[in-house]
Amino acid sequence: MSYELTLVRHAQAGYGQGDHSRPLTPAGIRQARELGALLGKKGVEVALILHSTAARATQTAQQIGRAYPDAQLLAEDELYHCSPERLLRLVGEYGPAGGKAILVVGHEPIISMTAQLLTPADADAPYGVVTATAIAFKVPSFTALSGGSGKLTGVFHAPLRA
């Protein structure tokens, strides 16, 4: 049996507030909504959306969730600042709630660092991903994630339109 893990960098955020409370711009809201629709169209499954408590990640998760009305949204404060290894442990901890498909909304550079960690060296996982990018994997389980245990199945970008 395989499971789906999708890592998402939040959509475009505004400036001028404390980092944790920076909201999405109007363009970022559209970008996140379009990313959710694109993932659904491409057949990416999502049962649980695990997201950082930062405003921009929460809003991105909510907009993606519009394409997955049956998915549970769950905020996790540790996703705001964590290592790739900790992100994978959190996925393992929330695995039962995620069924077979978990989507994580977080921040750079952790999203692309985690993608790099999950895939074998020759998999060409992206690094330094732009806003509203999703990196999808097939993984053997959520509880045994480790270096090189994932198979990259797609990289999806939502366009930024004003």
Side-chain angles (χ1 to χ4, degrees):
M1 176 185 283
S2 67
Y3 296 80
E4 290 190 47
L5 174 62
T6 305
L7 304 174
V8 174
R9 180 182 180 189
H10 63 79
Q12 184 189 61
Y15 295 98
Q17 299 178 3
D19 187 62
H20 194 270
S21 61
R22 289 191 303 128
L24 294 181
T25 64
I29 291 170
R30 286 189 302 277
Q31 191 182 42
R33 188 176 306 136
E34 288 178 12
L35 181 60
L38 175 63
L39 292 173
K41 181 179 175 183
K42 295 292 185 177
V44 174
E45 293 185 33
V46 177
L48 172 67
I49 300 174
L50 183 62
H51 62 89
S52 160
T53 55
R56 60 196 180 274
T58 298
Q59 289 178 304
T60 299
Q62 290 167 341
Q63 293 303 315
I64 290 172
R66 292 171 61 136
Y68 297 96
D70 295 331
Q72 177 185 5
L73 270 73
L74 209 77
E76 173 53 66
D77 194 49
E78 284 189 66
L79 287 173
Y80 181 59
H81 286 297
C82 70
S83 67
E85 294 82 5
R86 181 63 184 142
L87 188 153
L88 293 180
R89 283 194 301 274
L90 286 168
V91 168
E93 291 170 20
Y94 287 105
K100 288 182 56 182
I102 296 177
L103 182 141
V104 177
V105 180
H107 310 272
E108 273 300 291
I110 300 307
I111 293 299
S112 59
M113 289 172 69
T114 304
Q116 294 279 312
L117 175 64
L118 263 180
T119 55
D122 62 351
D124 203 28
Y127 188 81
V129 297
V130 297
T131 58
T133 295
I135 310 166
F137 300 91
K138 292 282 187 197
V139 295
S141 79
F142 292 134
T143 56
L145 292 173
S146 61
S149 65
K151 178 182 179 209
L152 182 66
T153 59
V155 178
F156 308 96
H157 305 282
L160 180 60
R161 295 189 264 264

